[in-house]
Amino acid sequence: MNSFLRYPLILLMLIVTLSCSKTESFFYEIIEPEIVTGLSVHSSYLRNQEITFEVFDEDGNNITMDSNFIVDGVSIVGNQISYPEIGTHQVYAEYSIESTVYNSDTRTFNIVIPKTRVALEDYTGTWCGYCPNVSHAIEEIRMITDDISVVAIHYGDEMTISPGLDLINEFNPSGEYPTAKINRTVDWSYPYVSSPIESLIDTDNSIGISIDSQMDGMILAINLRVVSEEDLNNHKIVAYLVEDNLIYDQTNYYNYDENSYFFGMGNPIVDFVHNDVLRHSFTNVLGDSMENPTPALNDTFFNYSLEIDSGYNPANLGIVVMIVNQNNTAINSQFSKINSFQDFN
């Protein structure tokens, strides 16, 4: 090859080589370090409960030991902390990759004193002409407070289920209708005034209950978290599925009683709306035993799943949870619609 052709070719090769070396994009892809996003912390804790922070990278690897936790703007030693007073706090994690510091998402958590949610159970039936009084009294209490968990246990009608019969045998063996119970074992009698319920709601409680539920197709998954300020001995957890907006005619003995809310509505009341109807028990209907004793200030978790029949409308379904003592008295309860999260009250 003569010099006239050789030198331009050498020059062209040199230009291409220098160009490639400058960008390096032809030889390898520059990989940025992963950014930490998986900070694990609950939304609420009880006073003096030990809070443990964990953090995970994008691949799910636990990198807690390599992380530094910043709570309310101050770096803490280790990954645990507790507080004796109620309040709201924020935390995030720092993690270093190749001398570059990355921050996790910032999470807010609360220190709380649980409040009492009163459990109300209504033993009823569409054939019972005096029973609408109880359901109406419950609706009037709902005008005062949301802090009630209601279960309607039906007998002798289209809404009767086997777990309900077991409850009737245990808590209404005399078969009197209507029968209503406060916190499972205390009679709530005619005229079903609100004062015994109002005296309990909004009072401090030692037990916090949270409900987290999700539908995946027709599979309902439920995650419960229970924490108590005191050791729980011989306690049980009760978890029910309830349903609203069930339409059935209701016998009405108050049709001619001018002093009744149900005056003139007919007998039967056509297309009466039945709410809070017991549809399924996730636990033994009287409750599943908890760890004995269940230590104070320790998280206890319970998980349940159920395939929901296609005839159900998920928007009408809710979950009632109770913690009951050895005498079957409900110490605290919780309610949540499905596909939602209900924190400690």
Side-chain angles (χ1 to χ4, degrees):
M1 179 181 298
N2 59 44
S3 61
F4 180 77
L5 296 175
R6 182 169 59 248
Y7 293 120
L9 182 58
I10 293 172
L11 180 60
L12 178 60
M13 293 175 63
L14 181 60
I15 292 172
V16 171
T17 300
L18 290 174
S19 175
C20 291
S21 299
K22 183 177 181 181
T23 65
E24 299 181 341
S25 60
F26 291 98
F27 298 99
Y28 60 87
E29 180 183 0
I30 299 175
I31 301 176
E32 294 291 340
E34 296 174 342
I35 299 176
V36 178
T37 57
L39 178 60
S40 176
V41 58
H42 295 297
S43 54
S44 291
Y45 297 87
L46 304 191
R47 293 169 299 178
N48 299 309
Q49 183 178 3
E50 188 174 82
I51 303 165
T52 300
F53 305 120
E54 291 186 298
V55 66
F56 301 84
D57 66 20
E58 292 180 341
D59 295 324
N61 301 308
N62 191 320
I63 53 173
T64 300
M65 300 304 294
D66 299 319
S67 302
N68 184 34
F69 295 91
I70 316 303
V71 182
D72 299 332
V74 179
S75 177
I76 66 172
V77 177
N79 66 321
Q80 294 180 324
I81 198 169
S82 65
Y83 295 91
E85 303 291 340
I86 63 172
T88 299
H89 305 274
Q90 289 190 324
V91 58
Y92 67 91
E94 287 183 343
Y95 179 56
S96 178
I97 303 176
E98 297 180 354
S99 300
T100 301
V101 175
Y102 295 90
N103 292 342
S104 75
D105 48 337
T106 298
R107 301 284 300 277
T108 299
F109 62 95
N110 300 296
I111 309 302
V112 302
I113 301 173
K115 298 300 181 182
T116 297
R117 181 185 281 268
V118 179
L120 296 178
E121 291 178 297
D122 174 16
Y123 292 84
T124 185
T126 58
W127 50 269
C128 170
Y130 295 114
C131 286
N133 250 354
V134 178
S135 61
H136 178 61
I138 289 171
E139 293 310 312
E140 288 190 321
I141 289 173
R142 282 194 166 117
M143 300 294 290
I144 301 171
T145 179
D146 291 328
D147 291 331
I148 56 175
S149 304
V150 182
V151 182
I153 300 102
H154 280 253
Y155 173 72
D157 62 21
E158 300 89 337
M159 292 165 279
T160 304
I161 64 172
S162 178
L165 297 177
D166 293 336
L167 285 175
I168 290 167
N169 290 333
E170 181 70 25
F171 297 111
N172 189 27
S174 64
E176 294 182 3
Y177 285 83
T179 288
K181 300 284 186 178
I182 298 172
N183 286 336
R184 179 138 281 191
T185 55
V186 177
D187 288 333
W188 187 33
S189 302
Y190 183 82
Y192 311 110
V193 296
S194 63
S195 54
I197 291 117
E198 290 187 78
S199 67
L200 295 172
I201 60 176
D202 212 29
T203 58
D204 291 349
N205 201 290
S206 61
I207 300 174
I209 306 168
S210 72
I211 304 173
D212 190 9
S213 66
Q214 299 294 329
M215 289 283 293
D216 183 2
M218 295 306 293
I219 302 297
L220 172 63
I222 300 172
N223 301 302
L224 308 179
R225 176 175 168 243
V226 179
V227 187
S228 174
E229 290 186 332
E230 304 170 355
D231 290 348
L232 300 179
N233 293 290
N234 299 311
H235 282 62
K236 295 179 290 185
I237 185 167
V238 177
Y240 296 148
L241 183 72
V242 296
E243 184 176 14
D244 290 342
N245 297 317
L246 293 175
I247 310 299
Y248 293 99
D249 293 354
Q250 173 67 51
T251 301
N252 174 27
Y253 293 162
Y254 298 101
N255 187 48
Y256 298 104
D257 183 349
E258 295 183 357
N259 296 316
S260 172
Y261 174 82
F262 296 100
F263 171 69
M265 290 189 179
N267 184 20
I269 303 173
V270 177
D271 292 340
F272 189 83
V273 179
H274 300 268
N275 292 323
D276 312 298
V277 178
L278 176 65
R279 305 304 275 167
H280 178 77
S281 182
F282 296 99
T283 60
N284 180 289
V285 72
L286 298 180
D288 289 342
S289 295
M290 301 176 65
E291 178 185 353
N292 189 33
T294 300
L297 300 176
N298 276 21
D299 285 328
T300 305
F301 299 95
F302 303 89
N303 303 297
Y304 307 100
S305 64
L306 177 69
E307 184 173 0
I308 302 296
D309 187 273
S310 59
Y312 284 76
N313 180 356
N316 293 332
L317 298 177
I319 301 158
V320 171
V321 177
M322 306 178 208
I323 303 299
V324 302
N325 65 13
Q326 59 269 32
N327 298 319
N328 285 317
T329 298
I331 306 304
N332 207 0
S333 73
Q334 187 61 279
F335 171 79
S336 176
K337 299 294 287 185
I338 69 169
N339 274 329
S340 62
F341 173 70
Q342 174 61 56
D343 204 353
F344 300 161
N345 279 10

